[in-house]
Amino acid sequence: SKGEFRMSAAEGENILYFDGTPGYLPPEPRAMRVSVSPGAPVQLPGMWLAPLPTYKLQLVDEDESTPVAGAVISLLRPRQFGWLTTDESGWSQVHVVNLPQDGRIIGVAEHPSKAAGAVFALDRTVVNGAKVKLLPYGTVTGQVVNEKGKPVPDVVVGAAFPDSPVDDPLLLWRTVTDADGRFRWDSVVAGVPQRCAVAGTVGQGESANFNLAPGETKDLGTLTASGQAKKEGGAGGFNVTKWREEKPVCGTIGKQAGRPSVILFCDESEADPVIEGLAQALEAAKRTDWDAAVVVRGGHACKEARLPMFAGNAPGAATTYVVSADNQILLRTFGLPPLRLLRAAR
């Protein structure tokens, strides 16, 4: 509580590394050499930590001059659930508690009324403001097959930056294959190099690197899922197309028929932020004609909830399901769905 620390260290030269402090920038230099003698405590000098700055960015249309109000921003690194929104001048402020090791914040911005978006990176050089241009989305399609060429349904396919670490890929989007092993993503950010891959596979389970032009559609052909692809959920999972017939453990279900809905699955530890984030997302999308619900694996202590909450398991590999007004599944994905789908789908 006093900001002090004490540790044992081996005799001789040690390197003391400061990993991170929530809300503050790491000290400079981040590591220091300390020489330790037997039985002689070393008193280090005090250090000042600077608070993490508030990053600012302005979203503009394709003409590079028209501010985009009401756009939403999702943070990919550090990954945070929920959306930030832009004001009437297209500006938004980005706050993070922990800065990534490389000091860069990476996110995705989405246009509120057009099929357009951008990926952006922020660092200490742009604290006073960065301008981000939103470009028309591209579309990627493909099919996942096994070693025998047969379609593999309900496996996760996603795209990441090509130079992302294998053990910590920077995921741009994820979806799930349909009954024929096919997948489609209509919100691919243009001008961003990326690589598509089947979760849990390497080699033939990955596409070549691609970088779409605005509005371009690209078919990646077939990706081979070697071995048995890991699946989650399955038979007996929560029925997302008939969720209104289930009994909630918290909240109430709207009885109005003919409304589209978003169903999110999560663990108990994630329930509160997921409920809050989903409710805020629908507000940001200005959709009062949508229903939404959260399904918690293993159940959850019931509190006053902004959305109805159920107990159950996902019916497949995805954790987010967008369901049309006539009870057809429009999209299987993870986290919050693309804003354009919430604004357009019925």
Side-chain angles (χ1 to χ4, degrees), residues 191-209:
V192 178
Q194 47 195 286
R195 180 185 68 251
C196 196
V198 182
T201 65
V202 293
Q204 290 181 302
E206 297 183 357
S207 73
N209 295 346

Side-chain angles (χ1 to χ4, degrees), residues 27-59:
E28 293 292 347
R30 197 160 185 163
M32 66 172 64
R33 295 181 182 275
V34 180
S35 182
V36 178
S37 300
V42 178
Q43 181 68 37
L44 299 175
M47 288 164 287
W48 292 93
L49 297 182
L52 284 175
T54 296
Y55 298 84
K56 301 175 183 178
L57 73 160
Q58 184 187 36
L59 303 186

Side-chain angles (χ1 to χ4, degrees), residues 9-10 20 24 76 87 89 103 118 146 149 155 247 262 279 295 305 307 317 319 323:
Y24 293 87
L76 302 179
D87 61 18
S89 299
N146 60 20
V155 294
K247 183 178 180 180
V262 183
V295 184
L307 299 173
T319 61
V323 182

Side-chain angles (χ1 to χ4, degrees), residues 162-181:
D163 57 354
S164 293
V166 175
D167 58 345
D168 185 25
L170 184 56
L171 296 171
L172 298 171
W173 54 265
R174 287 185 294 169
T175 188
V176 176
T177 56
D178 63 15
D180 296 319

Side-chain angles (χ1 to χ4, degrees), residues 12-312:
E13 187 177 82
N14 291 262
I15 297 179
L16 189 63
Y17 179 80
F18 295 90
D19 189 22
T21 304
Y24 293 87
L25 292 168
E28 293 292 347
R30 197 160 185 163
M32 66 172 64
R33 295 181 182 275
V34 180
S35 182
V36 178
S37 300
V42 178
Q43 181 68 37
L44 299 175
M47 288 164 287
W48 292 93
L49 297 182
L52 284 175
T54 296
Y55 298 84
K56 301 175 183 178
L57 73 160
Q58 184 187 36
L59 303 186
V60 296
D61 219 329
E62 194 174 3
D63 60 9
E64 299 188 12
S65 60
T66 305
V68 180
V72 300
I73 295 168
S74 306
L75 294 187
L76 302 179
R77 178 165 294 166
R79 185 169 290 276
Q80 294 181 185
F81 187 86
W83 284 340
L84 305 172
T85 57
T86 57
D87 61 18
E88 292 301 318
S89 299
W91 284 94
S92 182
Q93 295 185 344
V94 178
H95 304 268
V96 296
V97 176
N98 290 296
L99 202 62
Q101 291 283 354
D102 59 5
R104 302 176 74 221
I105 297 171
I106 299 177
V108 174
E110 301 180 69
H111 199 290
S113 57
K114 298 180 181 179
V119 172
F120 62 86
L122 304 173
D123 57 30
R124 296 176 67 179
T125 65
V126 295
V127 170
N128 293 327
K131 182 177 287 188
V132 178
K133 180 172 67 173
L134 305 181
L135 296 173
Y137 285 133
T139 297
V140 160
T141 61
Q143 185 181 31
V144 177
V145 299
N146 60 20
E147 294 95 332
K148 298 180 179 180
K150 294 184 178 180
V152 183
D154 199 39
V155 294
V156 180
V157 179
F161 280 122
D163 57 354
S164 293
V166 175
D167 58 345
D168 185 25
L170 184 56
L171 296 171
L172 298 171
W173 54 265
R174 287 185 294 169
T175 188
V176 176
T177 56
D178 63 15
D180 296 319
R182 298 190 178 278
F183 63 91
R184 178 186 182 95
W185 192 259
D186 294 317
S187 302
V188 180
V189 176
V192 178
Q194 47 195 286
R195 180 185 68 251
C196 196
V198 182
T201 65
V202 293
Q204 290 181 302
E206 297 183 357
S207 73
N209 295 346
F210 58 90
N211 188 340
L212 300 189
E216 180 183 358
T217 296
K218 183 178 183 61
D219 185 81
L220 300 177
T222 57
L223 305 179
T224 302
S226 57
Q228 181 64 39
K230 181 182 178 181
K231 297 183 180 181
E232 298 184 15
F238 189 87
N239 192 329
V240 296
T241 61
K242 297 182 179 180
W243 69 272
R244 293 180 180 86
E245 299 176 11
E246 301 289 335
K247 183 178 180 180
V249 297
C250 201
T252 58
I253 304 174
K255 299 299 182 182
Q256 184 175 343
R259 292 164 61 98
S261 57
V262 183
I263 314 298
L264 260 67
F265 292 81
C266 66
D267 293 324
E268 183 178 1
S269 61
E270 306 167 322
D272 290 335
V274 165
I275 290 172
E276 186 68 21
L278 180 55
Q280 290 179 353
L282 292 179
E283 292 176 2
K286 302 186 185 304
R287 295 316 297 252
T288 58
D289 56 343
W290 278 67
D291 288 331
V294 173
V295 184
V296 182
R297 289 182 283 268
H300 182 61
C302 189
K303 301 178 181 178
E304 182 179 351
R306 299 180 63 180
L307 299 173
M309 185 177 65
F310 302 83

